[in-house]
Amino acid sequence: QVQLVESGGGLVQSGGSLRLSCAASGSIIVINTMGWYRQAPGKQRELVASITRGGSTDYAESVKGRFSISRDNAKNMVYLQMNSLNPEDTAVYYCNADRATSAYGLQFGVWGQGTLVTVSS
């Protein structure tokens, strides 16, 4: 089974930066689109950014120009560089693989356990 593990969350002051990492493991053959989602208290989970295997990216309007998503296919890693953070960015951030092929078969909708980002004002 493919597993995703996020890291890099923490407490940062408004205007600061953080870099989230997501490591995929599990005899991976290929992962299609990977993305970062977030869920703030009392709110629904929302897409923050996504990146295809070929490197095409998409961002939520609220993070455009501040966040940057990237991936290393050889290492099965995806990153989220977050700059100019503000308190509205406070949430649990989740890594997602929409479709993952491994030695165990095909999986859809693989999620990590999440990493908490807290931005203080």
Side-chain angles (χ1 to χ4, degrees):
Q1 296 283 335
V2 173
Q3 293 184 326
L4 304 178
V5 178
E6 303 97 335
S7 61
L11 175 64
V12 63
Q13 288 189 333
S14 185
S17 298
L18 280 176
R19 188 189 192 216
L20 305 183
S21 299
C22 173
S25 61
S27 300
I28 294 166
I29 297 172
V30 66
I31 298 178
N32 288 42
T33 299
M34 299 192 75
W36 287 96
Y37 290 72
R38 67 186 181 186
Q39 187 166 19
K43 294 188 177 181
Q44 290 189 331
R45 191 173 298 189
E46 62 175 357
L47 175 66
V48 175
S50 64
I51 184 167
T52 67
R53 183 168 178 79
S56 295
T57 59
D58 190 26
Y59 296 92
E61 284 296 325
S62 60
V63 307
K64 280 183 179 178
R66 300 189 298 124
F67 290 11
S68 178
I69 188 170
S70 60
R71 67 187 286 176
D72 184 331
N73 292 329
K75 295 182 179 179
N76 292 313
M77 297 285 297
V78 64
Y79 308 96
L80 185 69
Q81 178 66 44
M82 305 185 294
N83 300 326
S84 301
L85 285 161
N86 58 64
E88 289 69 40
D89 296 314
T90 294
V92 178
Y93 284 71
Y94 297 91
C95 180
N96 170 269
D98 73 334
R99 177 174 169 161
T101 304
S102 71
Y104 304 99
L106 179 61
Q107 291 171 253
F108 294 95
V110 183
W111 293 91
Q113 82 289 348
T115 185
L116 178 62
V117 172
T118 303
V119 185
S120 63
S121 57

